[in-house]
Amino acid sequence: MGSATLLFALFLFCPGGVICEILQNFSDVPPCQAFFYQGQEPTGLASPSTARICQRLQGQYYYATLYHRDARVPIYSAYILEKSTTSRPDLSSTNWYLEPMLADLPQGDMLQPSQSAMQNESEKVTDSQAVNDDYRNSGFSRGHLNPSGHHSAESQISTFTYTNMAPQQGNFNSGTWNNYETFLKDSILPGCSQTHVVTGIILSGSHPGEGVWLRGRVNVPTFYWSAFCCVRGDGSRRAEGRLGSNTAPYEVLAKSIPELEAILGREYGGAVSLFSGGCQ
C-alpha cells in the first residue's frame, strides 16, 4: 500500500470502524484536497464551531465545504468549475440531501431525509444542521454556494445538500448574484485550463439574538462572497473576487483577492488567505 493510499485509509475510518469524513484538515483526504488551488485550503476562516466536510455522494467526492455548526450554514464551499452539459435536476427541496456525519451517524455519503438511516435519527440530524423546514415559508431562497449550474450530471445533484445552502434573498439569488455565476461559466471557464472557485458568506451573527436567523436556528448572511483562480494553458493566472450584499439593492462589487481577504479578515478576526500565493 502506497503512502497516499495508507493516509486515505487511516482517515476514512474512525476508531471502531466508523466511517468518518469530518476532517481536521482537508489535506487528510487527497481527493478532497484537490478542490483547492495548489491543494491549499483557505486559512483564517475556520473556528471551533466549524466542520470540514468532503461532500460525497455514492462514494464519489465532488467538492469541499467548511460548515458552521452553530449558525447551520456553510462558511464556504470550494470546487473546480466545470462545463455544464445537463439541465438542472428536478429535485424537490424536501428531498435535498443532508449530512449524516454532522449527526455522528456512521454513513460516508450525503443522504436524503427519506432514507432510513436519516429517518431513524431525525431529531439528531435536525439538531446538527439546517433542514427543509427551516427554509419553508421563510421568505428566503435556498442559496447554493456551489451552484448546480457550474457542474454536470452527478456533480449537479451533489450540490443539492443543505450543507451547501445559506438563506438568500430571492431577488439577489436570481439577479445580480446569478449574473456573477453566469459570468464565471460563460466568460471565465472557456479561457482557463482549470478554475478553482471558493464561495462563502459573512454571518450576520454568531448566535441567535445577533443578526437575522430563520426559526432561531439558521443564520441569514449579510453578504455572499466569491473568489476564482483561473490557470490558463500557458501557465498564466487570473484571480478576482466578488462581494455581494444579501439586502436590497443587492449590489455585487468586484474586488481584488487582497481586498476581499482584508474584508474577510476584519469580519472573522484574523488574517485570511484564499489562494496559495494569491494565485499570482
Side-chain angles (χ1 to χ4, degrees):
M1 180 182 291
S3 59
T5 304
L6 177 60
L7 180 66
F8 177 77
L10 287 172
F11 283 94
L12 184 61
F13 295 94
C14 293
V18 175
I19 296 174
C20 180
E21 305 282 350
I22 303 296
L23 308 171
Q24 292 296 315
N25 297 284
F26 284 113
S27 59
D28 293 342
V29 175
C32 201
Q33 184 181 13
F35 297 117
F36 301 97
Y37 173 65
Q38 294 189 345
Q40 300 294 313
E41 66 181 90
T43 60
L45 297 173
S47 74
S49 297
T50 55
R52 292 174 174 87
I53 301 172
C54 284
Q55 299 280 14
R56 198 177 96 170
L57 178 63
Q58 298 179 355
Q60 177 70 40
Y61 296 101
Y62 289 104
Y63 56 103
T65 296
L66 183 69
Y67 191 76
H68 197 292
R69 292 176 179 269
D70 298 333
R72 295 186 177 89
V73 291
I75 294 299
Y76 68 73
S77 285
Y79 61 95
I80 296 174
L81 185 62
E82 302 176 68
K83 183 178 180 179
S84 180
T85 58
T86 50
S87 59
R88 178 185 170 99
D90 184 17
L91 188 64
S92 167
S93 59
T94 59
N95 291 322
W96 287 10
Y97 291 90
L98 298 168
E99 183 50 71
M101 290 170 292
L102 287 173
D104 298 323
L105 302 183
Q107 303 288 332
D109 292 332
M110 60 179 74
L111 298 176
Q112 292 177 311
S114 58
Q115 293 178 267
S116 59
M118 306 300 274
Q119 287 187 328
N120 294 339
E121 298 287 354
S122 60
E123 184 175 340
K124 194 173 184 181
V125 170
T126 299
D127 184 62
S128 68
Q129 61 204 278
V131 297
N132 182 54
D133 283 345
D134 292 315
Y135 287 84
R136 193 196 309 270
N137 300 322
S138 68
F140 288 87
S141 65
R142 299 161 178 81
H144 284 68
L145 271 63
N146 176 8
S148 65
H150 286 177
H151 304 279
S152 291
E154 292 296 316
S155 296
Q156 279 192 320
I157 296 174
S158 74
T159 67
F160 288 88
T161 170
Y162 283 100
T163 53
N164 182 45
M165 301 289 145
Q168 192 171 28
Q169 292 283 358
N171 289 339
F172 179 42
N173 190 1
S174 62
T176 51
W177 196 248
N178 180 68
N179 293 342
Y180 165 68
E181 293 174 341
T182 300
F183 161 76
L184 283 179
K185 66 180 183 179
D186 289 352
S187 300
I188 297 301
L189 178 64
C192 306
S193 58
Q194 189 170 75
T195 303
H196 288 270
V197 183
V198 183
T199 297
I201 56 92
I202 294 176
L203 299 171
S204 62
S206 299
H207 306 283
E210 301 174 358
V212 181
W213 295 70
L214 301 185
R215 317 288 191 242
R217 286 173 32 90
V218 181
N219 187 258
V220 178
T222 53
F223 292 93
Y224 277 63
W225 58 267
S226 184
F228 68 86
C229 172
C230 155
V231 181
R232 302 185 182 96
D234 62 2
S236 64
R237 293 162 175 78
R238 176 183 178 183
E240 291 179 14
R242 295 292 188 276
L243 183 68
S245 174
N246 199 24
T247 56
Y250 312 120
E251 189 175 25
V252 176
L253 301 177
K255 299 289 182 182
S256 69
I257 298 302
E259 287 174 336
L260 184 57
E261 289 172 338
I263 291 168
L264 295 176
R266 289 193 294 271
E267 293 291 337
Y268 287 101
V272 170
S273 174
L274 296 176
F275 298 124
S276 175
C279 184
Q280 299 300 315

